[in-house]
Amino acid sequence: MTDAGKNTDTNAAQVTGKPTLKTISQLSGLAIPTVSRALSDAPDISEKTKKKIREIAAEIGYVPNRAGVRLRTGKTLVISLILAPDSELMPHTAQLIGSIARALRETPYHLNVTPYLPDDDPMKPIRQIVENRLADAVILNRTQADDPRVAYLLEKQFPFATHGRTNMSDRHAYFDYDNAAFGDFAVRHLAARGRKCIALLAPKQDQLYATHMIEGALAAATDCGVSLTVLDDVDSDARIDEIRAAIALRLKDNPDVDALITASGVAAMAAAAGAKSAGREVDIFGKEATSILRFCNPNILTLREDAARAGAFLAEAVVAALNDPLGAPKQGLQVPSEADFNLA
C-alpha cells in the first residue's frame, strides 16, 4: 500500500459522522480559521498548506456547507457560465464547459451553467445573478462591440471574464480567438488553391468576432485579387437545415462560387451538405475544436480553435479577479497558425 493510501485510510478511520472544518483542523493540526481560509483559496495561505488541507478534505469526503459559507463570507462559491443554446452543442461547447470545470476543480469554486434562449433579453440572467448574488463571478460569450452586459458588470464592479473581446476589453478579463487572422488565413489558402470566387458564411454581425472575421477575409481577398462575398441571407448561427438550404440555393444560382468559408464546425458540415444537394464540388474552409470534420470529410479544410485552452484561461481569469479585485485583468488570444491547419 502506498503512503498516500495509508494516509487516506488513517484519516478516514478517524472520522465519525459528517466531516466538518473542525474535523480537518484536528487531522491537520491547523486552526479552524486557517483551514477555512485555505479552502477559500485565501492569498495569504501558502500553496503547500492549501494542498495539504484540500487533500485531507478530499480523503474524508468533506463538502462545504454553502449556506454556512455564504453567511460567514458572503460568497456563494459559484461561478456561472452564461450560454445561449444554439445549434453547435458539439465539441466546442463541450470542451469549453469541461475545461472550465476541470480548472475550477482545485479551487473552492463550482461551475453552474446558466442558459438563456435566443429570444430572451441577454441582460436578464446577468441582472438576476448580480442582484440576487447567485454567483461570485460570471463568464459570458457572444460579445458585442459595445456589449451592455459588460458595461453593466463593470459598473457594478462584479467579477467576470468574456469569451471574446469588446470595445471595453482594456478594462476586463477575456480570452479570444483571432478571427481576423482566421479570415485572412482561410482566404489566402483558398486563393493558393486557385479559388477565385469565395463566399463567407459569417456569424451574426452584431457579434464582434463576426466583424473581425469579415475584416480579415476582405483584406486578404483584396491582397490576393480574389472575389469575396459575405452571405447576407443566412449566418453561421442559423439552424443546420437553414444553412444547408441557403448554401444549396446560392451555389445553384451562382456557378462562379468555388469556395466557402464558415465560422464553425457545424456550419461547415451544413455547407458541405448544401453543396452536395446542389451537385457542386467546392472547397470548404472552417474551424473546429476537434478533428471530427477531417475524419468525416477530408476535403474540408480546417483550423483548430482550442476551446479547452480558452475554458481553462477563463476559469483562471475569474478566480484571479476574485482573489485580487484590484489586479490587472488576465487577457489571452489564440492566433491561428500553420500548426493548427488541417489537423487529423
Side-chain angles (χ1 to χ4, degrees), residues 23-45:
T23 311
I24 301 174
S25 173
Q26 292 171 340
L27 293 172
S28 66
L30 297 171
I32 291 176
T34 302
V35 171
S36 177
R37 292 183 60 74
L39 290 173
S40 298
D41 202 29
D44 59 329
I45 304 296

Side-chain angles (χ1 to χ4, degrees), residues 202-214:
K204 290 181 179 178
Q205 294 188 36
D206 63 344
Q207 298 173 56
L208 189 56
Y209 87 102
T211 301
H212 292 160
M213 187 181 297
I214 292 168

